[in-house]
Amino acid sequence: MKVAVISDVHGNRHALEAVLADAHDAKVGAVWCLGDLVGYGADPNDCVQLVLKSSDICLAGNHDLAVTGEISLDEFSAGAAIAARWTREVLREENLEALKQLEPSDKARGIGLFHASPRDPIWEYVVSSLLAELCFTAATETISLIGHSHVALSFVKHEGELATGEPRRNNDTISLVEGQWLLNPGSVGQPRDNDPRAAWLLLDAENRTAQWRRVEYDVAGAQAAIRSARLPESLAERLEYGQ
């Protein structure tokens, strides 16, 4: 079965719609979301409803948990905290209740799903081989899907060797048959790897292959929505640069 793995939507409806359309064209049989449906972007209600309607599995991310009040905003940057408070104000009750039902980790088809990492599903940014090594020790599955860092990447560990990793670009395709893997699809709504295109991962759960995908979307439309909501200008500007 082909699975679309998405993460870190962050209220960016324009990017989400483009990714879901690309996933449909790829004839995926399921959508797995690794969390952070809201935060930063200006369309949290649309994104919550669209993700929950489209996905077979959906996790909670740290921004989702902040909006529901389960974690404190003290851990967030100023811009992220402003966006979270705004999201609390505009999020409809049914969507808030839906977010409260989500958990930051899950398993499916022998694959681990985590918003952040197998060691810390909510907060850990796995962006180095050293951290990946520690996560491989904690993981109970040979393949773990992680989000949170907004960077499309992979880490692998073969028996008797140290973990290695590398960033992933559009159409990079790998076999997952050998070794232990950590895969990050990148961010749908706020990429931070200098590629402004929306990111997602095409996972073949049966044949054990993965392909990273990037999709053009209406960045200007997403920026206009952020500005119309009077959210921090930096949240709009960064979308143009993938930072």
Side-chain angles (χ1 to χ4, degrees), residues 150-154 166-174 184-187 191-202 210-215 241-242:
H150 297 213
V151 177
L153 48 75
S154 69
E166 59 185 297
R168 292 295 177 177
R169 303 305 178 195
N170 188 37
N171 292 322
D172 280 359
T173 304
I174 60 173
N184 192 319
S187 172
R192 296 177 185 170
D193 53 6
N194 299 311
D195 184 341
R197 294 175 295 178
W200 68 284
L201 181 73
L202 178 59
Q211 181 185 61
W212 281 261
R213 306 277 288 251
R214 303 304 283 247
V215 186
Y241 304 102

Side-chain angles (χ1 to χ4, degrees), residues 158-236:
H158 295 287
E159 187 173 356
E161 300 178 9
L162 294 175
T164 60
E166 59 185 297
R168 292 295 177 177
R169 303 305 178 195
N170 188 37
N171 292 322
D172 280 359
T173 304
I174 60 173
S175 171
L176 308 172
V177 173
E178 297 181 357
Q180 191 176 7
W181 292 88
L182 290 169
L183 310 176
N184 192 319
S187 172
V188 171
Q190 195 193 79
R192 296 177 185 170
D193 53 6
N194 299 311
D195 184 341
R197 294 175 295 178
W200 68 284
L201 181 73
L202 178 59
L203 175 69
D204 189 325
E206 293 178 358
N207 296 315
R208 291 300 204 250
T209 63
Q211 181 185 61
W212 281 261
R213 306 277 288 251
R214 303 304 283 247
V215 186
E216 300 279 357
Y217 76 94
D218 183 6
V219 173
Q223 291 176 313
I226 289 171
R227 290 170 177 137
S228 179
R230 299 194 176 187
L231 290 167
E233 175 63 22
S234 61
L235 300 181

Side-chain angles (χ1 to χ4, degrees), residues 39-131:
Y40 298 127
D43 291 306
N45 284 297
D46 290 340
C47 288
V48 170
Q49 291 181 323
L50 189 52
V51 169
L52 294 182
K53 177 183 177 181
S54 304
S55 63
D56 301 85
I57 297 174
C58 186
L59 306 183
N62 57 307
H63 286 256
D64 304 322
L65 296 172
V67 167
T68 63
E70 294 178 62
I71 61 176
S72 172
L73 290 178
D74 292 342
E75 301 293 330
F76 287 74
S77 67
I82 290 170
R85 293 188 184 97
W86 176 85
T87 300
R88 285 176 180 174
E89 295 175 358
V90 302
L91 199 64
R92 291 193 290 272
E93 185 64 26
E94 65 267 26
N95 293 331
L96 179 63
E97 289 302 315
L99 288 183
K100 289 180 179 179
Q101 306 308 309
L102 306 180
E103 298 291 337
S105 64
D106 203 344
K107 297 180 182 180
R109 293 179 169 262
I111 297 170
L113 288 76
F114 308 92
H115 174 64
S117 88
R119 295 200 313 159
D120 180 349
I122 297 175
W123 283 113
E124 185 169 48
Y125 291 92
V126 185
V127 292
S128 72
S129 295
L130 175 59
L131 287 177

